[in-house]
Amino acid sequence: RIGGRRRSLSSGDTIADTMQSTSSNADIARTLLGITAATVLSVFLVDDITMRFETVQEWRYAWPLIGTLYVASGLSFLLSDSGEYGKNKEHGRSNIIADAAHEISSFVPLASNRIVYGLAALAGVGVLVGGFIDAFFPVWYTSPDLLGTRAGIEADSAAILFILTVAGIVRNISDYCWDSGDVGEVEDVGSMHAVGSNLTSRKAQLPSWALAVVLCTQLWEIASPTFYSWGELLGIVS
């Protein structure tokens, strides 16, 4: 109550809030659809290239190196979350090594959780170990598996990383969205600023989009035997 009278939201405020919420949901749906579509197209493109050119197939032996990124990110997060970075942040100090560790840990799209980053670091090691076995061990050697799929430690570890990465993207989906802006409602000089801000926002999200698509595509290519085995167990594929 203000001045003895009850104050309520006007119908205009309610409509504005509803429209803003609807616009936000539309941006999220559009972003998820865009990242998914780009990833699917990238997977088909990579598959087509590797099947057409035999020389490109040698490139596949370098794919497991993506595990290095997750190992570095996971260890960096554990360092920045519990080490000097947290203490320095509380006291307003800076440390080059701790700050660099924090920047590395934020490079991959994972949920900010110690367990998640620890699991990602272990799975990254699994991808590297599996890739080493695949590249240097005899063809007849059977790689150990983690998930009982007989796909090997490399594919199983990549499947774990793929799931963690997708979950991280969905959890932080607002970081990949750009504001549609209210350009149409601005009719003065501020409209130019609104257009510029909108374009700047979109350009700023392009690296995040590209990284998300590259990571998902690469992990899917490595983890596809594991997902195919799961499909067989569930009767989805034969």
Side-chain angles (χ1 to χ4, degrees), residues 25 41 66 91 108 205 212 217 230:
N25 293 335
L41 290 176
I66 194 175
H91 298 285
V108 296
Q205 300 306 323
T217 301
W230 284 347

Side-chain angles (χ1 to χ4, degrees), residues 106-187:
S106 61
F107 189 72
V108 296
L110 297 175
S112 298
N113 183 279
R114 291 173 57 84
I115 297 178
V116 170
Y117 271 90
L119 181 59
L122 293 176
V125 172
V127 172
L128 290 173
V129 171
F132 180 84
I133 293 175
D134 186 36
F136 299 103
F137 276 52
V139 179
W140 49 263
Y141 182 82
T142 303
S143 173
D145 62 273
L146 298 176
L147 306 176
T149 60
R150 293 178 294 179
I153 187 175
E154 179 185 358
D156 288 349
S157 299
I160 295 174
L161 290 179
F162 180 84
I163 295 173
L164 292 178
T165 301
V166 171
I169 293 173
V170 174
R171 181 181 179 85
N172 303 311
I173 192 61
S174 59
D175 295 339
Y176 299 87
C177 297
W178 55 66
D179 296 331
S180 58
D182 297 328
V183 179
E185 298 179 3
V186 182
E187 298 179 356

Side-chain angles (χ1 to χ4, degrees), residues 35-36 38-47 60 63-64 66 70 127 151 154-166 211-231 236-237:
I35 294 176
T36 302
T39 301
V40 171
L41 290 176
S42 298
V43 168
F44 281 120
L45 178 62
V46 171
D47 288 342
R60 298 177 65 93
W63 290 359
I66 194 175
Y70 284 89
V127 172
E154 179 185 358
D156 288 349
S157 299
I160 295 174
L161 290 179
F162 180 84
I163 295 173
L164 292 178
T165 301
V166 171
L211 178 62
V213 172
V214 169
L215 290 176
C216 289
T217 301
Q218 196 77 77
L219 291 173
W220 175 267
E221 290 291 339
I222 303 174
S224 55
T226 294
F227 290 120
Y228 185 83
S229 297
W230 284 347
I236 301 176
V237 295

Side-chain angles (χ1 to χ4, degrees), residues 19-43:
M19 292 179 63
Q20 183 176 5
S21 176
T22 302
S23 176
S24 177
N25 293 335
D27 288 340
I28 291 175
R30 182 168 55 247
T31 301
L32 287 174
L33 181 61
I35 294 176
T36 302
T39 301
V40 171
L41 290 176
S42 298
V43 168

